Amino acid sequence: MTRITFLFNAAGRLKVMGLAMRFNFGLVAGLWLAFNLAPANAATVTEGFTFSDSSNAVIASGSFSYDSTATGTIGYSDLSAFSINLFGKFYDLSFVDSWVGNLDAYVYFGFDLGSRKFVPQAVNGYDGSYSTILAAGDGFFGFFVSPLLGQADPANTGADGQIAEYSTEQAATASQVQVNAIPEPSTWAMMIAGFLGLAGVALIRRRRDSLQLDQAGS
């Protein structure tokens, strides 16, 4: 009877050890993936933004990417990627670049990395000087975002958060904007590895406790 119990206990320990080895191998593989992805993405920061009205309905949303070494207030020229979707229309950085140098166009992007807020500025275009925090277009195509109520109004044109999409002639008033960092692939890999680690530890502990109960019953 003692020999059978010993063999049973030994088999149980080997089973738990095998589970632990498989878990450790998976965790190491996940960490290897995370660290190998990190160098390729560490130099870029991506931010997502959402403009919404007083009822929290989303008016416009998008994202922009820039070098992680950037400081102060960044503009379109500092971005490696940009996109915005408003009223069903999508614009990217190539669209913005197509308006640079056009005297009839309002082209501006200002984001303060310190305060993490869009920065108002007076910009000249087809209809004179207007305050904006985000714009690319000439009144017929493109978009224009006024400073939100309470922000600075450099051109004194009544900044009120109006967002206009020129080609569809649609507009709405935003009362708030949220900007949040979007995790890079390496960050997601590290998070997944961490969750796997916690799940693996819990599984091994449960198997170990179950084995100890079986041994006690024997």
Side-chain angles (χ1 to χ4, degrees):
M1 184 66 179
T2 302
R3 183 175 181 179
I4 293 175
T5 302
F6 172 78
L7 290 175
F8 175 80
N9 291 345
R13 291 192 185 95
L14 287 174
K15 186 175 182 180
V16 174
M17 289 174 62
L19 180 64
M21 291 178 65
R22 288 196 298 272
F23 161 69
N24 288 335
F25 175 79
L27 181 58
V28 169
L31 291 174
W32 179 88
L33 176 64
F35 285 121
N36 276 274
L37 283 173
N41 297 281
T44 301
V45 177
T46 300
E47 309 271 6
F49 61 88
T50 302
F51 289 93
S52 53
D53 61 19
S54 57
S55 64
N56 291 322
V58 175
I59 299 173
S61 62
S63 65
F64 55 95
S65 301
Y66 56 91
D67 193 283
S68 60
T69 61
T71 59
T73 300
I74 58 175
Y76 278 128
S77 61
D78 300 303
L79 304 183
S80 57
F82 169 81
S83 67
I84 186 171
N85 190 320
L86 63 168
F87 306 110
K89 298 289 290 184
F90 175 84
Y91 299 100
D92 59 14
L93 197 56
S94 62
F95 174 84
V96 173
D97 291 339
S98 69
W99 292 102
V100 175
N102 187 327
L103 298 180
D104 289 330
Y106 293 96
V107 181
Y108 176 73
F109 176 98
F111 185 76
D112 188 332
L113 296 175
S115 64
R116 296 185 56 76
K117 294 181 179 180
F118 286 101
V119 180
Q121 181 168 306
V123 179
N124 292 317
Y126 73 97
D127 197 28
S129 180
Y130 274 85
S131 299
T132 183
I133 56 175
L134 186 61
D138 66 348
F140 295 98
F141 300 98
F143 58 91
F144 189 98
V145 181
S146 297
L148 274 61
L149 190 65
Q151 285 190 292
D153 182 12
N156 295 314
T157 49
D160 56 3
Q162 187 179 74
I163 296 179
E165 202 293 304
Y166 294 137
S167 61
T168 61
E169 298 183 348
Q170 296 188 70
T173 301
S175 61
Q176 57 187 328
V177 57
Q178 293 183 330
V179 182
N180 299 296
I182 299 175
E184 294 295 318
S186 59
T187 304
W188 283 114
M190 290 292 288
M191 291 172 62
I192 292 171
F195 288 136
L196 288 175
L198 292 174
V201 169
L203 178 60
I204 293 172
R205 183 175 298 168
R206 188 165 60 250
R207 291 290 182 86
R208 182 189 62 196
D209 293 343
S210 177
L211 175 62
Q212 289 175 347
L213 288 174
D214 290 341
Q215 291 174 352
S218 301

